[in-house]
Amino acid sequence: MQNYSAFSLFKQALGGHAGWQKQWRSPEPKAEYDVIIVGAGGHGLATAHYLAKEHGITNVAVVEKGWLGGGNTGRNTTIIRSNYLFDESAALYEHALKLWEGLSQDLNYNVMYSPRGVLMLAHNIHDVQSFKRHVHANRLNGIDNEWLSAEECKEFCPPLNIGAMRYPILGGALQRRGGTARHDAVAWGYARAADARGVDIIENCEVTGIRRGVNGAVEGVETSRGFIRAKKVGVSAAGHTSVIMDMAGVRLPLESYPLQALVSEPVKPAFPCVVMSNTIHAYISQSDKGEMVIGAGTDAYTSYSQRGALHIASHTLDAICELVPMFRRLRMLRNWGGIVDVTPDRSPIIAKTPVPGLYVNCGWGTGGFKATPGSGNVFAWTIARDEPHKINAPFTIERFRDGILIDEAAAAAVAH
Amino acid sequence: MPDLAIRENSLGRLASAARTIPAAMLTVLPDAAKLLFRGRPSSIDAAGKAFGIALPMEACRFATSGNRTAYWLGPDEWLLQAVGEDSAALFAGLAAALAGHSQSLVDVSHRSDAFALSGPQAAYILNHGCPLDLSLQTFPVGMCTRTIFGKATIMLSRPAPEVFHIDAWRSFAPYVWQLLDEARSELA
Amino acid sequence: MSGRFRTPSGGRVDRRRTIRFTFDGKSYQGFEGDTLASALLANGVHLVGRSFKYHRPRGIVTAGSDEPNALVGVGVDDAHYTPNLRATQVEIYDGLVAESQNRWPSLNFDVGAVNEVFAPFLSAGFYYKTFMWPRAAWAKLYEPLIRRAAGLGRAPEQPDADRYTQVYAHCDVLIVGAGPAGLAAALATSASGAKVFVCDEQAEMGGSLLAEKTAVIDGLLAADWTAKALADLAARTNVTLMPRTTAFGWYPHNFLGLCERITDHVAKADPKLPRERLWQVRAKEVVLATGALERPLVFPDNDRPGIMMAEAARIYANRFGVKPGDKALIFTACDSAYRAALDLKAAGVAIAAIADLRAAPGGLWVDRARAAGIDVRAATVVTGTSGRLRIDSVSLAKLGPDGRTGASETIACDLLLMSGGFTPSVHLFSQSRGKLVYDEALQAYLPGASVERERSVGACRGISDLDTVLNDGAAGGSGAAQAAGFAGALGGTFAVHTDSVGTDGFIGVTPHGGHPSKTRAWIDFQNDVTAKDVKLAIREGFRSIEHVKRYTTTGMATDQGKTSNMNALGLVSETLQIPVPQVGLTTFRPPYTPTTFGIFAGQSRGDLFDPLRQTPIHDWAVAQGAVFEDVSLWKRAHYFPRAGEDMHAAVARECKATRQAVGIFDATTLGKIEVVGKDAAELMNRMYTNAWTKLEPGRLRYGVMLREDGFVMDDGVVGRMAPDRFHITTTTGGAPRVLAMMEDYIQTEWPDLDVWLTSTTEEWAVIAVQGPLARKVLEPLVEDIDLSREAMPHMSVREGKICGVPTRLFRVSFTGELGFEVNVPAGYGRAVWEAIFAAGKPYGITPYGTETMHVLRAEKGFIIVGQETDGTVTPDDAGLSWAIGKAKKDFVGKRSLARPAMTASDRKQLVGLLTVNPKTVLEEGAQIVADPAQPIPMTMLGHVTSSYWSTTLDRSIALALVRGGRARIGERLSVPMPDGPITVELVEPIFYDPKGARLDA
Amino acid sequence: MLLITCPHCGPRAELEFSYGGEAHIARPIDPTGLDDEAWATFLYKRSNPKGVHAERWRHLHGCGRFFNVLRDTISDTIVTTYPAGQPRPALPSDGKENAR
Ligand SMILES: Cc1cc2nc3c(=O)[nH]c(=O)nc-3n(C[C@H](O)[C@H](O)[C@H](O)COP(=O)(O)OP(=O)(O)OC[C@H]3O[C@@H](n4cnc5c(N)ncnc54)[C@H](O)[C@@H]3O)c2cc1C
Ligand SMILES: NC(=O)c1ccc[n+]([C@@H]2O[C@H](COP(=O)([O-])OP(=O)(O)OC[C@H]3O[C@@H](n4cnc5c(N)ncnc54)[C@H](O)[C@@H]3O)[C@@H](O)[C@H]2O)c1
Ligand SMILES: Cc1cc2nc3c(=O)[nH]c(=O)nc-3n(C[C@H](O)[C@H](O)[C@H](O)COP(=O)(O)O)c2cc1C
Ligand SMILES: [Zn+2]
């Protein structure tokens, strides 16, 4: 892999940038691979990267129906944090956060992980109780998360309005190591690193069927570019997971909803951190290019249309305008949607399936970007060893049958 | 013992300070006895007879006679309203007539307060929070429906081309009123 | 006079009305009807901004909403300041204050322009390749630097002083765009009687007709025809004309978002008016008549101030009476630029030459240009330009048949006009999810099959000549009327005298012969994306147009690629050697042009952000100095401090008064549902865990309701008023949920049950009177109810009168004391409350708030759903198994309770906690462990759900959920806090009067 | 915002409705007779199709009635609405084309 550094940039600049190599190849699919990953989002690409890097499995294809990174990875508000309540989730997201901290170096690709702090606002006493419960649990789990008074919130994020509003801010929980990363760079960085280790990333290749042998085990995938053989298939298709699992006759507890995000026109630095308010539904940070990146809610109904309703965006912007009244005159530049797959307990599934050789990583709903490195890492383990890593062991399909739910949302009414 | 049967309207304070904006006037409507009737089809006639108005069977229509109005709210649900009457007496009368029928009668006289929005711009102002098509073709005089206004549920009816009645649960009524008042500022 | 570059006459500006404004502190004059751009051009100002990345000097390129360069900040103060407005859309008014952006210290001398020096290193995506070492430096050093350099304008620093409104509207036909196509459509549609809305983003309606000088329509000059058409339309009562209104978004089912700008263009706006209004329009049919946008040509150094679109220059000359320069050179790939050249010449601009990319341009317009003495050069390209803050010369070269350029010639000029043809505005069509089809001949994407009920007419579907455009509009308009159910629409035809300008054009980078890595030809002006960047992206393997967009950021600026996207496509197509349609398109998304946040928020601000629900007793509590808390939409009195008291002192006093004498509490916010019908008890049996059949009328029972997944959803006291009538109470926040769930089961699972629900939450005010003296207070106020212990035991309900008004009087206690909850019709709530308060005065009656209520119930070990439970708690976990009707075969949630994990013995169970040091009050949410010395991550056994100082017990108390907690009662555990562990003892979750003697009093 | 035709009240804005999830998932008559797997299927497993979806809506801020809707989840086009309790109407184009 061509090394990226200030020096190489300098050298290439002198040569008119003629010497840059392809960041990844566009190979034709081979007839057979050891492992096929369905979906070249952050999770699928990270899985391929770790399969190659940590498990020595390099005969891997990542098949993608569109362009890599074009799913939710390329359309999310990039909030990264690990201050989850339950031990199971905390371990998973913290595993990811640790990987984020060294990811640019690991991939030799600047993913712009920016730990500028994620501040979650409390607007009523119930919020305060719930956030403090998080703060205490996180502390004992070794995860940074601290309680700020309303005044401290204001100090940390000066544009915030903490006073006259319908639901005044009573305080907030701050994870300083939380922040954002550049969504596209994550997909591209993983793609480049995986490709360099021999992984074939095959774009414009839609999986249309999963072929199973007489014993029921996976034999490969039918695609828009023909059949590709593999004994192990890992599905990382986010919003489309149900559609693909249906091909293998597996029904998962998933529903796919539209989730919207929007950006303002770019302005000079005016917002220093990430602010989330679940109570009034507002998620905001400022990107390095200057846009305010704002997350809205999901629509009420399931959909694959990858857009959302006007009233949902309106509802988010009324909250933003209350939290930061000087942003009322900013203007929306672009508003788009993604399709998120949601499980009944809003926690992911990273597991083996009833079909031998078929693995699934799904159910990240509105909050899986932050997990990308950790999730790919343990999913790779699961596929390589045909058994879960201890971190993803709780995130099974069977937990719904047995009632061992990991329900962060129910526990706290906290979205991601 | 104090006689307290003086009813407080949730809009009292707002109404007394209301601005006069002829294009879209806001006025509180008098208190009324209101009963919510729900039941099987077999009970509907009896309810209508006892109330003195055949309950409208056409969706989203109300029927008025004197001080009494029957509003269709759903296929098994009507609001029976009697302006200026005592709800206990009304309830007792209906309950007696309905005995033996499969139905439910509940006194909701105090659940909501009602006001009128009237004037040439009434529909335009209502549309600041209400997504209905309020043209006379789709929302004719004589129509009523539950709908949404901003973030509150209301019952909306149209007794005259430029008059709307809005019935909102007590704690929502001031919000609905204030939102309408905010919207009509531009006509002040 | 308003500037040297104003033509002596002509244009649509009102020359009698001079307007003064400032730009970057300098004052200028313009005329009424000018945009900021036209007024600046009239004053010879081209340099108006700096580009995003390299801080290149940039001028005005277009005359419309597609402007990529001329972005300005406008506003006299920060409460009215808006960044990134397009000078081409800003209408000037007296006193307008505008400033340029992204420059320091000044527009002419901008330090940021040093980026130009580094430009070779700032290639597309350079930031992905560097700034990785040392690790921490990205966030601390590099990122802040990059952030400061980026970002165009500045955000206002004061809260917005304006208001915004939102309104829903319905029409039969919505016409977007009021150019000839839109106007013809409007005339036809409205003749049918259909209700028609016509919106156009511009201040004046007429679209391209406003710059048309020679065309004749039905015997009238274009301007006169337009005026007449508009007057006709305005006179029709079924037509609403909406100027300054942008259709910005198309949402499913023919629902469109329109933004109307109301006050921004006036000096002294009527304060009653909103600044902008969001129209949310549901249209039966939509006619898109959004026209076409002229495409720039991509050639070396094509971004200098003074380089402008040819049609824009024509608009400035014809519509605004402004000469964009003294001497223009034209670079074109189509005939319309000839028309522009001729119009400019007529306005007094010298035309240095027309360089035509085409090998052999000919025909009417070329002939006319030649006849006018213009130097027309076929097969000629621009190979470079010069001029620091404004173009001063252009290099031209002949283009050989082999595509090579010959020797170049430099021509002095202060204006370079370019035209690469027109791109139909299919943005809204595409947003509606209609399929776009590539038209090879037009080199354009055109609307194909519709998904929604709409049709496109005129230039936005590739029709360009005025006669066909008008007739297309009329046909579309009548088609729409018919589709909306209106017969008799007139789709008449128009008699038009005009000359076709054809449909030639060019996409991609024009040949220039320059060194590919040294020349910079801008594709996306605003984001500083050059052809070189696009090629680099492709070289690096970014083949999808979506990747190219994201890697180079082409098309991602505030103009969303209106001028650049087709050229980027052309270049990618050429570089990859694949046809344009195979390159694909990036997705069109709302909004069409940037749209103010304020209109999305609309009236939802301050107290109107959400309904602010108050009880009938609220004002009384305010008068008593209560402090309130938000509980769902309600405001509830949290505590009633007296002078000098903090919350703890107030709560201690309130608790004491209630335990020793009597307290009064507003419980009105509790949800209430009346369940009526002969199957009422059966429904209760199915919905609640408890058994109801045997509950007698006149009795109360505490009920627990689960979700179907077995977790506690709500609880409350239920009264049986009659065999077929129950009065349910729910938690304050839970009322809508409970009602919805019950209604769901009745309607969809058990429609055979004879039972109906009615929400009575707001029918009743609820006044809790609690304490040993409660009966004494109430007795004198009630008629025909015997309050005695014998006649009205704990957990019973009576109907009667209190203070002369009807009541449902509950004998119930959430405090552990003798207690009543007085339900009275809400309109009487305040009066009855005051009467009880007065009657209680002699007994020391004390109002208490939710905090005291919480303490008192915790002393009794009563749970609060949402505090002791959290959506993962079963009834058994919460110590409520006694409330489960054991004999019941089924109820909602029962089956789930039998799942393996729900019956495990190490589930978290409700226990009481006593700190070993009685003075220590635990923090709610604190975690519980066995060994505080264990290493992190610790094994957490549970958490504190409720914790209070109990004045009654003179010590702290707490409730907690602890793994296998019931079996651990008697054990000691630890709560590790940052300043040391706190040892606690697990006890039964009841601290006060465990036998319940006091409630039975 | 969708325009949904309530079988009783006619076409109304989505804001008046609440979504009720997939239709035709009847609560088992005898839940205790189901094993954990079957119960979990009832509780959690949904078809989540990409294409025509039968779903429940309630005219919450209207007549209050539940009813069923066939909606194409690709285009969000509503194919038809029908009262609760009625079987899903068969469509010639099930799962593919979206009728207008
Ligand atoms: C608007 C929005 C905001 C969000 N905000 C945040 C946030 O702030 N923080 C956070 O942590 N998370 C957030 N999320 C969630 C996060 O984006 C996702 O959980 C995460 O990106 C999922 O990554 P993935 O790789 O699993 O999925 P994706 O990136 O969606 O990748 C799945 C891929 O599978 C491909 N695919 C699907 N079907 C097929 C097929 N048949 N054949 C081949 N390929 C197929 C898709 O094309 C896609 O590229 C947000 C999501 C959205 C939509
Ligand atoms: N080759 C071509 O296609 C071409 C190029 C330039 C001019 N023309 C001329 O233009 C005319 C075509 O007429 P037309 O009516 O189709 O186009 P037009 O350009 O005259 O009118 C389009 C109108 O739509 C408005 N508009 C666009 N998007 C909007 C939105 N989202 N919201 C609100 N308003 C919006 C514009 O402000 C403009 O007034 C003909 O006379 C033709 O000669 C054609
Ligand atoms: C964090 C983030 C920032 C973005 N910033 C911009 C931006 O500055 N300009 C822009 O046009 N789009 C921006 N986008 C949106 C993308 O253009 C695009 O809408 C999104 O990736 C979804 O893809 P789609 O709209 O092509 O479906 C941004 C997206 C994300 C996730
Ligand atoms: Zn209805």
Side-chain angles (χ1 to χ4, degrees), chain B residues 1-8 13 36 38-40 76 91 102-111 124 127-135 151-152 169-172 175 178-179 182-183 185-188, chain C residues 163 165-168 170 272 274 277 279 603-604 608-614 616 619 633-634 674 676 725 743 751-754 756-760 762-763 781 783 803 805 825-828 830-832 835:
Chain B
M1 196 179 342
D3 183 10
L4 293 173
I6 310 153
R7 197 173 147 171
E8 197 183 35
R13 199 152 25 99
L36 199 95
R38 302 187 70 172
R40 295 283 181 206
D76 69 349
F91 186 94
S102 280
Q103 52 78 35
S104 149
L105 191 67
V106 177
D107 187 344
V108 292
S109 305
H110 286 244
R111 182 171 79 164
Y124 167 72
N127 272 139
H128 281 68
C130 172
L132 289 174
D133 180 354
L134 298 173
S135 63
K151 295 171 186 168
W169 287 6
R170 253 191 97 89
S171 72
F172 288 97
Y175 163 83
Q178 285 169 312
L179 207 53
E182 211 277 344
S185 296
E186 66 182 65
L187 308 174
Chain C
R163 60 184 275 275
T165 58
Q166 297 181 336
V167 65
Y168 295 97
H170 293 76
K272 290 184 320 219
R277 180 182 291 126
W279 289 93
Q603 299 101 309
S604 294
L608 295 178
F609 178 76
D610 255 355
L612 195 156
R613 302 181 71 182
Q614 296 174 348
D619 290 349
L633 297 175
W634 291 98
E674 192 113 327
V676 185
R725 185 176 295 259
E743 196 59 59
D752 51 315
L753 291 187
D754 267 350
W756 292 270
L757 309 177
T758 303
S759 170
T760 48
E762 301 245 27
E763 172 67 13
L781 303 178
E783 292 162 47
C803 307
V805 308
Y828 306 134
R830 169 86 184 257
V832 173

Side-chain angles (χ1 to χ4, degrees), chain A residues 39 41-43 64-65 72-73 76-77 79 207 238 366-370:
Chain A
H43 286 240
E64 166 57 51
K65 73 178 162 90
N72 291 342
T73 301
N76 79 97
T77 49
I79 300 176
V207 170
T366 59
F369 177 72
K370 63 178 70 67

